[in-house]
Amino acid sequence: IWNERTFDSKYIKVLRNMLDRVGLTDVGIIAADGDWSIANSLITDPHLNDSVQVIGAHYPGTTTVPQALKTQKKLWSSEDYSTFNDEVGGGCWARILNQNYVNGQMTATIAWNLVASYYEELPFGKDGLMTAQEPWSGNYVVESPIWITAHSTQFTQPGWTYLKTVGHLSQGGSYVALTDGYGNLTVVIETMAHDHSICIRPPLPPFNVTSQNATFQLKGSFASIKELQVWRSHFDFKSKKHLLFDKLTPVKLLDGSFTLNLAEDEVYTLTTIRTGQKGSFPEPPPSARFPKAYKDNFDIRNPPFSEAPNFADQTGVFEYYINLTDPGSHAFTLRQVVTERPITWAADSDQTVSVIGDYLWQNVTVTCDVFMENVKSGGVFVAVRVDKGGQSIRSAKGVFFWVFANGLYRVTNDLAGQTVLAEGASGTGVFGWYNLSLSVKGQSASGMLDGRQLWKIAEVSAPKNGWAAIGTQSFELAQFDNFAVLAE
């Protein structure tokens, strides 16, 4: 809770009390999703200490602090990875999955994010364990971090515990061992080189990894194990022929001992679990750019309250809406439903906006029916060449065609409305449908209202390309219908 902000001890304690009061005693609180600083407060505040089940830190760089260890709480990397999912991203994931425990005794590592299902040009493009960013084509890519995940998740389960005998290999790399407490054992080894395992954050201090022979000696109840299943991944950054999650011949143990020849940039799992499998998936449809001609009338009955496909909401929430007062052409619309600016994680914009299309689009025409519901200060826009999104949306530039409930229009070169290209009377008001059309070709732009040209601009120098977009002047109720875009 309290994601990446200064934590509020009082709030956490009140939340714990309320959860207990309604019978949710088994629901734990993870705090404070920033750094480890809450550990000091847990040590000095018994009530806060009793309220928190897990200390969670973001991007800890595989290390913790003595105060966190002193609390004897479970330690989690409650957000990690956020790294481009190529082979270096797979190496990052392999290294931190092991070393978050080896260096920091963190027993959980949560990747942000599971599937990169947003436009690649948005911040943190392709920073998921796999990629599925084209709902219009159905294309998806099972990236290397998925197979690195399998090295651990196919051979352990929630409730397994780490053995104390974990650590670093003499020539670089690390190993962990886990057991279910009933005789099963899983050992995961990684030898990722520095330059092949860099995560997006924090900076990675230098270290060396070289090929080595590593001998493991099983003791105690594990000494009687005669054979371990073996799974291996090898990143070959020279040939680019990477082998991921391959099943090898089981290794035979002699008096509980086995030796492996470990090369650089490898991941091994040795386990008593025999159920592992590479798995398969259907051949995905081929990748395709967003269609140059696209329409959506939002006429969907099931489910009626869901987000429109292909639109990427940057701030605000646009949902399908059944308009019971208008059973005609606008019976089903897309409605902006958030009426107050929420507490945001990043520097979101002061108005709602949803982008769609192809970031490379230059010459575009977008049309949309719009309906304003805010009597005093209602306003809506359509836009093209929108060049930013996500946490950068506040500084987005493009061509924005606004109409307002007070009967005016404005054309701006930015979402914030600071650079005005044209303005004047539109005759628009609340509780009436209007058709907006915005066309940009080269440096020329023009806008139409209900089929008549309202304005024309001869010089629009920047940006050169970007998405189409719709949105509102503030966080307010407004409706959109019959959206269409045509790109050259």
mmCIF file of all heavy atoms in Angstrom, residues 431-469:
data_model
loop_
_atom_site.group_PDB
_atom_site.id
_atom_site.type_symbol
_atom_site.label_atom_id
_atom_site.label_comp_id
_atom_site.label_asym_id
_atom_site.label_seq_id
_atom_site.Cartn_x
_atom_site.Cartn_y
_atom_site.Cartn_z
ATOM 1 N N PHE A 431 -25.585 18.841 -23.542
ATOM 2 C CA PHE A 431 -26.732 17.960 -23.794
ATOM 3 C C PHE A 431 -27.182 17.990 -25.252
ATOM 4 O O PHE A 431 -28.379 17.924 -25.555
ATOM 5 C CB PHE A 431 -27.904 18.309 -22.863
ATOM 6 C CG PHE A 431 -27.526 18.293 -21.409
ATOM 7 C CD1 PHE A 431 -27.748 19.398 -20.615
ATOM 8 C CD2 PHE A 431 -26.923 17.181 -20.842
ATOM 9 C CE1 PHE A 431 -27.380 19.399 -19.274
ATOM 10 C CE2 PHE A 431 -26.554 17.152 -19.509
ATOM 11 C CZ PHE A 431 -26.787 18.274 -18.722
ATOM 12 N N GLY A 432 -26.210 18.079 -26.136
ATOM 13 C CA GLY A 432 -26.485 17.968 -27.559
ATOM 14 C C GLY A 432 -25.324 17.293 -28.252
ATOM 15 O O GLY A 432 -24.165 17.475 -27.877
ATOM 16 N N TRP A 433 -25.619 16.487 -29.267
ATOM 17 C CA TRP A 433 -24.570 15.776 -29.988
ATOM 18 C C TRP A 433 -23.999 16.644 -31.104
ATOM 19 O O TRP A 433 -24.741 17.331 -31.812
ATOM 20 C CB TRP A 433 -25.116 14.478 -30.578
ATOM 21 C CG TRP A 433 -25.269 13.390 -29.554
ATOM 22 C CD1 TRP A 433 -26.410 13.029 -28.907
ATOM 23 C CD2 TRP A 433 -24.233 12.543 -29.069
ATOM 24 N NE1 TRP A 433 -26.159 11.997 -28.029
ATOM 25 C CE2 TRP A 433 -24.825 11.668 -28.115
ATOM 26 C CE3 TRP A 433 -22.867 12.411 -29.322
ATOM 27 C CZ2 TRP A 433 -24.091 10.703 -27.429
ATOM 28 C CZ3 TRP A 433 -22.142 11.446 -28.651
ATOM 29 C CH2 TRP A 433 -22.751 10.612 -27.716
ATOM 30 N N TYR A 434 -22.680 16.598 -31.243
ATOM 31 C CA TYR A 434 -21.969 17.324 -32.302
ATOM 32 C C TYR A 434 -20.979 16.368 -32.945
ATOM 33 O O TYR A 434 -20.399 15.494 -32.286
ATOM 34 C CB TYR A 434 -21.216 18.524 -31.736
ATOM 35 C CG TYR A 434 -22.108 19.519 -31.038
ATOM 36 C CD1 TYR A 434 -22.299 19.462 -29.661
ATOM 37 C CD2 TYR A 434 -22.761 20.517 -31.754
ATOM 38 C CE1 TYR A 434 -23.119 20.361 -29.004
ATOM 39 C CE2 TYR A 434 -23.594 21.436 -31.113
ATOM 40 C CZ TYR A 434 -23.770 21.348 -29.744
ATOM 41 O OH TYR A 434 -24.585 22.240 -29.105
ATOM 42 N N ASN A 435 -20.782 16.558 -34.243
ATOM 43 C CA ASN A 435 -19.795 15.764 -34.959
ATOM 44 C C ASN A 435 -18.560 16.604 -35.216
ATOM 45 O O ASN A 435 -18.626 17.653 -35.864
ATOM 46 C CB ASN A 435 -20.354 15.261 -36.287
ATOM 47 C CG ASN A 435 -19.325 14.442 -37.061
ATOM 48 O OD1 ASN A 435 -18.636 14.946 -37.942
ATOM 49 N ND2 ASN A 435 -19.225 13.170 -36.721
ATOM 50 N N LEU A 436 -17.412 16.151 -34.667
ATOM 51 C CA LEU A 436 -16.144 16.828 -34.867
ATOM 52 C C LEU A 436 -15.316 16.068 -35.893
ATOM 53 O O LEU A 436 -15.296 14.831 -35.900
ATOM 54 C CB LEU A 436 -15.349 16.924 -33.565
ATOM 55 C CG LEU A 436 -15.971 17.666 -32.387
ATOM 56 C CD1 LEU A 436 -14.979 17.734 -31.242
ATOM 57 C CD2 LEU A 436 -16.430 19.049 -32.797
ATOM 58 N N SER A 437 -14.600 16.804 -36.744
ATOM 59 C CA SER A 437 -13.683 16.195 -37.695
ATOM 60 C C SER A 437 -12.401 17.016 -37.711
ATOM 61 O O SER A 437 -12.437 18.241 -37.850
ATOM 62 C CB SER A 437 -14.297 16.161 -39.097
ATOM 63 O OG SER A 437 -13.382 15.592 -40.027
ATOM 64 N N LEU A 438 -11.287 16.334 -37.562
ATOM 65 C CA LEU A 438 -9.976 16.977 -37.535
ATOM 66 C C LEU A 438 -9.086 16.297 -38.566
ATOM 67 O O LEU A 438 -8.932 15.067 -38.544
ATOM 68 C CB LEU A 438 -9.361 16.850 -36.142
ATOM 69 C CG LEU A 438 -7.879 17.206 -35.987
ATOM 70 C CD1 LEU A 438 -7.618 18.660 -36.340
ATOM 71 C CD2 LEU A 438 -7.399 16.898 -34.569
ATOM 72 N N SER A 439 -8.514 17.084 -39.460
ATOM 73 C CA SER A 439 -7.624 16.551 -40.499
ATOM 74 C C SER A 439 -6.290 17.278 -40.448
ATOM 75 O O SER A 439 -6.245 18.510 -40.346
ATOM 76 C CB SER A 439 -8.235 16.723 -41.892
ATOM 77 O OG SER A 439 -9.411 15.966 -42.029
ATOM 78 N N VAL A 440 -5.221 16.507 -40.521
ATOM 79 C CA VAL A 440 -3.878 17.073 -40.590
ATOM 80 C C VAL A 440 -3.132 16.381 -41.725
ATOM 81 O O VAL A 440 -3.095 15.144 -41.784
ATOM 82 C CB VAL A 440 -3.118 16.909 -39.258
ATOM 83 C CG1 VAL A 440 -1.710 17.465 -39.388
ATOM 84 C CG2 VAL A 440 -3.852 17.591 -38.125
ATOM 85 N N LYS A 441 -2.563 17.183 -42.621
ATOM 86 C CA LYS A 441 -1.760 16.653 -43.720
ATOM 87 C C LYS A 441 -0.576 17.570 -43.922
ATOM 88 O O LYS A 441 -0.751 18.772 -44.182
ATOM 89 C CB LYS A 441 -2.586 16.561 -45.000
ATOM 90 C CG LYS A 441 -1.822 15.915 -46.150
ATOM 91 C CD LYS A 441 -2.719 15.674 -47.350
ATOM 92 C CE LYS A 441 -1.963 14.951 -48.449
ATOM 93 N NZ LYS A 441 -2.826 14.668 -49.629
ATOM 94 N N GLY A 442 0.611 17.014 -43.770
ATOM 95 C CA GLY A 442 1.810 17.840 -43.834
ATOM 96 C C GLY A 442 1.770 18.883 -42.739
ATOM 97 O O GLY A 442 1.615 18.552 -41.555
ATOM 98 N N GLN A 443 1.883 20.156 -43.108
ATOM 99 C CA GLN A 443 1.815 21.228 -42.122
ATOM 100 C C GLN A 443 0.444 21.901 -42.092
ATOM 101 O O GLN A 443 0.247 22.888 -41.381
ATOM 102 C CB GLN A 443 2.892 22.279 -42.418
ATOM 103 C CG GLN A 443 4.307 21.771 -42.224
ATOM 104 C CD GLN A 443 5.337 22.878 -42.337
ATOM 105 O OE1 GLN A 443 5.027 24.007 -42.719
ATOM 106 N NE2 GLN A 443 6.576 22.566 -41.982
ATOM 107 N N SER A 444 -0.504 21.357 -42.828
ATOM 108 C CA SER A 444 -1.839 21.941 -42.893
ATOM 109 C C SER A 444 -2.801 21.168 -42.005
ATOM 110 O O SER A 444 -2.757 19.932 -41.952
ATOM 111 C CB SER A 444 -2.346 21.937 -44.345
ATOM 112 O OG SER A 444 -3.674 22.416 -44.417
ATOM 113 N N ALA A 445 -3.673 21.904 -41.298
ATOM 114 C CA ALA A 445 -4.669 21.287 -40.425
ATOM 115 C C ALA A 445 -5.987 22.028 -40.558
ATOM 116 O O ALA A 445 -6.020 23.250 -40.767
ATOM 117 C CB ALA A 445 -4.200 21.310 -38.971
ATOM 118 N N SER A 446 -7.100 21.293 -40.440
ATOM 119 C CA SER A 446 -8.416 21.918 -40.509
ATOM 120 C C SER A 446 -9.386 21.150 -39.629
ATOM 121 O O SER A 446 -9.184 19.966 -39.342
ATOM 122 C CB SER A 446 -8.934 21.950 -41.956
ATOM 123 O OG SER A 446 -9.078 20.629 -42.470
ATOM 124 N N GLY A 447 -10.435 21.856 -39.203
ATOM 125 C CA GLY A 447 -11.429 21.239 -38.345
ATOM 126 C C GLY A 447 -12.830 21.552 -38.816
ATOM 127 O O GLY A 447 -13.117 22.675 -39.283
ATOM 128 N N MET A 448 -13.729 20.564 -38.706
ATOM 129 C CA MET A 448 -15.108 20.721 -39.124
ATOM 130 C C MET A 448 -16.027 20.421 -37.950
ATOM 131 O O MET A 448 -15.732 19.556 -37.113
ATOM 132 C CB MET A 448 -15.439 19.812 -40.308
ATOM 133 C CG MET A 448 -14.575 20.052 -41.540
ATOM 134 S SD MET A 448 -14.995 18.964 -42.924
ATOM 135 C CE MET A 448 -16.570 19.660 -43.407
ATOM 136 N N LEU A 449 -17.141 21.120 -37.898
ATOM 137 C CA LEU A 449 -18.174 20.906 -36.889
ATOM 138 C C LEU A 449 -19.492 20.681 -37.618
ATOM 139 O O LEU A 449 -19.965 21.562 -38.359
ATOM 140 C CB LEU A 449 -18.281 22.121 -35.962
ATOM 141 C CG LEU A 449 -19.421 22.102 -34.947
ATOM 142 C CD1 LEU A 449 -19.217 20.982 -33.933
ATOM 143 C CD2 LEU A 449 -19.548 23.442 -34.234
ATOM 144 N N ASP A 450 -20.054 19.486 -37.436
ATOM 145 C CA ASP A 450 -21.314 19.117 -38.088
ATOM 146 C C ASP A 450 -21.277 19.369 -39.593
ATOM 147 O O ASP A 450 -22.224 19.890 -40.196
ATOM 148 C CB ASP A 450 -22.484 19.884 -37.461
ATOM 149 C CG ASP A 450 -22.783 19.425 -36.041
ATOM 150 O OD1 ASP A 450 -22.394 18.289 -35.703
ATOM 151 O OD2 ASP A 450 -23.394 20.196 -35.287
ATOM 152 N N GLY A 451 -20.148 19.050 -40.199
ATOM 153 C CA GLY A 451 -20.033 19.103 -41.645
ATOM 154 C C GLY A 451 -19.604 20.425 -42.224
ATOM 155 O O GLY A 451 -19.410 20.537 -43.445
ATOM 156 N N ARG A 452 -19.434 21.464 -41.423
ATOM 157 C CA ARG A 452 -18.979 22.750 -41.953
ATOM 158 C C ARG A 452 -17.593 23.070 -41.395
ATOM 159 O O ARG A 452 -17.302 22.800 -40.238
ATOM 160 C CB ARG A 452 -19.957 23.868 -41.588
ATOM 161 C CG ARG A 452 -20.077 24.154 -40.115
ATOM 162 C CD ARG A 452 -21.077 25.271 -39.847
ATOM 163 N NE ARG A 452 -21.242 25.499 -38.405
ATOM 164 C CZ ARG A 452 -20.513 26.353 -37.705
ATOM 165 N NH1 ARG A 452 -19.561 27.051 -38.307
ATOM 166 N NH2 ARG A 452 -20.721 26.516 -36.415
ATOM 167 N N GLN A 453 -16.747 23.626 -42.278
ATOM 168 C CA GLN A 453 -15.394 23.938 -41.840
ATOM 169 C C GLN A 453 -15.426 25.081 -40.833
ATOM 170 O O GLN A 453 -15.995 26.137 -41.086
ATOM 171 C CB GLN A 453 -14.512 24.302 -43.027
ATOM 172 C CG GLN A 453 -13.056 24.550 -42.626
ATOM 173 C CD GLN A 453 -12.127 24.632 -43.809
ATOM 174 O OE1 GLN A 453 -11.950 23.659 -44.538
ATOM 175 N NE2 GLN A 453 -11.541 25.804 -44.021
ATOM 176 N N LEU A 454 -14.783 24.854 -39.698
ATOM 177 C CA LEU A 454 -14.764 25.841 -38.619
ATOM 178 C C LEU A 454 -13.445 26.605 -38.581
ATOM 179 O O LEU A 454 -13.412 27.771 -38.192
ATOM 180 C CB LEU A 454 -15.008 25.130 -37.285
ATOM 181 C CG LEU A 454 -15.367 25.966 -36.067
ATOM 182 C CD1 LEU A 454 -16.665 26.736 -36.312
ATOM 183 C CD2 LEU A 454 -15.507 25.074 -34.825
ATOM 184 N N TRP A 455 -12.375 25.971 -38.985
ATOM 185 C CA TRP A 455 -11.067 26.612 -38.948
ATOM 186 C C TRP A 455 -10.097 25.892 -39.874
ATOM 187 O O TRP A 455 -10.308 24.729 -40.226
ATOM 188 C CB TRP A 455 -10.503 26.627 -37.517
ATOM 189 C CG TRP A 455 -10.396 25.258 -36.879
ATOM 190 C CD1 TRP A 455 -11.358 24.631 -36.147
ATOM 191 C CD2 TRP A 455 -9.298 24.354 -36.977
ATOM 192 N NE1 TRP A 455 -10.928 23.383 -35.765
ATOM 193 C CE2 TRP A 455 -9.653 23.198 -36.249
ATOM 194 C CE3 TRP A 455 -8.047 24.402 -37.572
ATOM 195 C CZ2 TRP A 455 -8.825 22.096 -36.123
ATOM 196 C CZ3 TRP A 455 -7.194 23.310 -37.457
ATOM 197 C CH2 TRP A 455 -7.601 22.177 -36.729
ATOM 198 N N LYS A 456 -9.020 26.575 -40.237
ATOM 199 C CA LYS A 456 -7.957 26.000 -41.055
ATOM 200 C C LYS A 456 -6.650 26.691 -40.713
ATOM 201 O O LYS A 456 -6.610 27.905 -40.538
ATOM 202 C CB LYS A 456 -8.251 26.148 -42.545
ATOM 203 C CG LYS A 456 -7.252 25.413 -43.443
ATOM 204 C CD LYS A 456 -7.682 25.436 -44.896
ATOM 205 C CE LYS A 456 -6.719 24.631 -45.760
ATOM 206 N NZ LYS A 456 -7.144 24.630 -47.193
ATOM 207 N N ILE A 457 -5.599 25.899 -40.589
ATOM 208 C CA ILE A 457 -4.271 26.404 -40.228
ATOM 209 C C ILE A 457 -3.285 25.931 -41.284
ATOM 210 O O ILE A 457 -3.271 24.755 -41.659
ATOM 211 C CB ILE A 457 -3.838 25.916 -38.835
ATOM 212 C CG1 ILE A 457 -4.849 26.369 -37.782
ATOM 213 C CG2 ILE A 457 -2.447 26.405 -38.486
ATOM 214 C CD1 ILE A 457 -4.624 25.747 -36.424
ATOM 215 N N ALA A 458 -2.435 26.829 -41.752
ATOM 216 C CA ALA A 458 -1.504 26.501 -42.836
ATOM 217 C C ALA A 458 -0.189 25.930 -42.336
ATOM 218 O O ALA A 458 0.491 25.211 -43.071
ATOM 219 C CB ALA A 458 -1.235 27.741 -43.691
ATOM 220 N N GLU A 459 0.200 26.242 -41.085
ATOM 221 C CA GLU A 459 1.512 25.811 -40.611
ATOM 222 C C GLU A 459 1.404 25.139 -39.247
ATOM 223 O O GLU A 459 1.184 25.803 -38.230
ATOM 224 C CB GLU A 459 2.473 26.996 -40.529
ATOM 225 C CG GLU A 459 2.849 27.566 -41.893
ATOM 226 C CD GLU A 459 3.972 28.580 -41.797
ATOM 227 O OE1 GLU A 459 4.605 28.634 -40.727
ATOM 228 O OE2 GLU A 459 4.203 29.298 -42.769
ATOM 229 N N VAL A 460 1.535 23.832 -39.248
ATOM 230 C CA VAL A 460 1.665 23.047 -38.017
ATOM 231 C C VAL A 460 2.975 22.286 -38.149
ATOM 232 O O VAL A 460 3.053 21.268 -38.826
ATOM 233 C CB VAL A 460 0.480 22.070 -37.826
ATOM 234 C CG1 VAL A 460 0.682 21.251 -36.561
ATOM 235 C CG2 VAL A 460 -0.832 22.830 -37.780
ATOM 236 N N SER A 461 4.018 22.808 -37.531
ATOM 237 C CA SER A 461 5.362 22.273 -37.777
ATOM 238 C C SER A 461 5.693 21.037 -36.941
ATOM 239 O O SER A 461 6.491 20.205 -37.361
ATOM 240 C CB SER A 461 6.401 23.367 -37.494
ATOM 241 O OG SER A 461 6.284 23.841 -36.161
ATOM 242 N N ALA A 462 5.089 20.921 -35.772
ATOM 243 C CA ALA A 462 5.434 19.802 -34.895
ATOM 244 C C ALA A 462 4.227 19.467 -34.020
ATOM 245 O O ALA A 462 3.376 20.323 -33.771
ATOM 246 C CB ALA A 462 6.632 20.171 -34.020
ATOM 247 N N PRO A 463 4.178 18.221 -33.555
ATOM 248 C CA PRO A 463 5.071 17.105 -33.884
ATOM 249 C C PRO A 463 4.780 16.534 -35.266
ATOM 250 O O PRO A 463 3.751 16.845 -35.873
ATOM 251 C CB PRO A 463 4.782 16.089 -32.779
ATOM 252 C CG PRO A 463 3.402 16.397 -32.329
ATOM 253 C CD PRO A 463 3.180 17.859 -32.514
ATOM 254 N N LYS A 464 5.675 15.702 -35.736
ATOM 255 C CA LYS A 464 5.558 15.142 -37.078
ATOM 256 C C LYS A 464 4.642 13.920 -37.117
ATOM 257 O O LYS A 464 4.123 13.566 -38.185
ATOM 258 C CB LYS A 464 6.939 14.750 -37.605
ATOM 259 C CG LYS A 464 7.936 15.908 -37.683
ATOM 260 C CD LYS A 464 7.495 16.952 -38.697
ATOM 261 C CE LYS A 464 8.574 18.033 -38.837
ATOM 262 N NZ LYS A 464 8.139 19.113 -39.769
ATOM 263 N N ASN A 465 4.463 13.252 -35.988
ATOM 264 C CA ASN A 465 3.682 12.018 -35.977
ATOM 265 C C ASN A 465 3.167 11.755 -34.568
ATOM 266 O O ASN A 465 3.601 12.393 -33.604
ATOM 267 C CB ASN A 465 4.535 10.839 -36.458
ATOM 268 C CG ASN A 465 5.798 10.666 -35.635
ATOM 269 O OD1 ASN A 465 6.813 11.310 -35.926
ATOM 270 N ND2 ASN A 465 5.747 9.831 -34.613
ATOM 271 N N GLY A 466 2.271 10.797 -34.451
ATOM 272 C CA GLY A 466 1.745 10.425 -33.138
ATOM 273 C C GLY A 466 0.392 9.752 -33.247
ATOM 274 O O GLY A 466 -0.128 9.485 -34.335
ATOM 275 N N TRP A 467 -0.183 9.446 -32.071
ATOM 276 C CA TRP A 467 -1.473 8.761 -32.017
ATOM 277 C C TRP A 467 -2.637 9.723 -32.263
ATOM 278 O O TRP A 467 -2.492 10.947 -32.169
ATOM 279 C CB TRP A 467 -1.682 8.148 -30.625
ATOM 280 C CG TRP A 467 -0.714 7.099 -30.235
ATOM 281 C CD1 TRP A 467 -0.635 5.822 -30.724
ATOM 282 C CD2 TRP A 467 0.306 7.191 -29.234
ATOM 283 N NE1 TRP A 467 0.379 5.136 -30.100
ATOM 284 C CE2 TRP A 467 0.973 5.950 -29.180
ATOM 285 C CE3 TRP A 467 0.722 8.219 -28.379
ATOM 286 C CZ2 TRP A 467 2.023 5.695 -28.303
ATOM 287 C CZ3 TRP A 467 1.774 7.969 -27.509
ATOM 288 C CH2 TRP A 467 2.419 6.733 -27.470
ATOM 289 N N ALA A 468 -3.814 9.152 -32.517
ATOM 290 C CA ALA A 468 -5.064 9.886 -32.403
ATOM 291 C C ALA A 468 -5.512 9.820 -30.950
ATOM 292 O O ALA A 468 -5.037 8.981 -30.170
ATOM 293 C CB ALA A 468 -6.131 9.279 -33.315
ATOM 294 N N ALA A 469 -6.430 10.725 -30.555
ATOM 295 C CA ALA A 469 -6.851 10.745 -29.162
ATOM 296 C C ALA A 469 -8.209 11.407 -29.031
ATOM 297 O O ALA A 469 -8.641 12.188 -29.895
ATOM 298 C CB ALA A 469 -5.829 11.487 -28.295
#
